[in-house]
Amino acid sequence: MGCRFINMEFCSPAAGGDIITMTSQHGIEFLGCSFRGNSTTAATGAIISVACVDLKIDNCEFTGAFSDAVIEFGAG
């Protein structure tokens, strides 16, 4: 089982921070999505993944200001 986000737009919070943080998720897919770090304060990262299985990021666009890695994979 999993969840697919297709052609969705994700925007950073106004105060900055990560757009999406996932821990121990399975089967998440981002297909043709847009990640916008255009808030007043620069976003930290777009996708932060820790101990996730079968994560797929395909044909996505990342724009704006990010102060850290746009995609980050943690241990596990």
Side-chain angles (χ1 to χ4, degrees):
M1 294 181 64
C3 181
R4 289 161 186 82
F5 296 96
I6 302 170
N7 298 327
M8 299 286 296
E9 181 174 274
F10 300 92
C11 297
S12 60
D18 299 326
I19 296 175
I20 294 177
T21 302
M22 303 177 292
T23 303
S24 301
Q25 301 298 313
H26 300 273
I28 304 292
E29 295 185 12
F30 297 96
L31 310 172
C33 295
S34 298
F35 293 85
R36 310 276 183 230
N38 299 335
S39 58
T40 305
T41 304
T44 307
I47 300 174
I48 309 304
S49 169
V50 178
C52 294
V53 177
D54 294 330
L55 172 63
K56 182 176 183 179
I57 303 166
D58 185 29
N59 197 31
C60 292
E61 179 182 48
F62 301 87
T63 59
F66 293 94
S67 62
D68 198 1
V70 175
I71 301 172
E72 186 175 320
F73 299 104

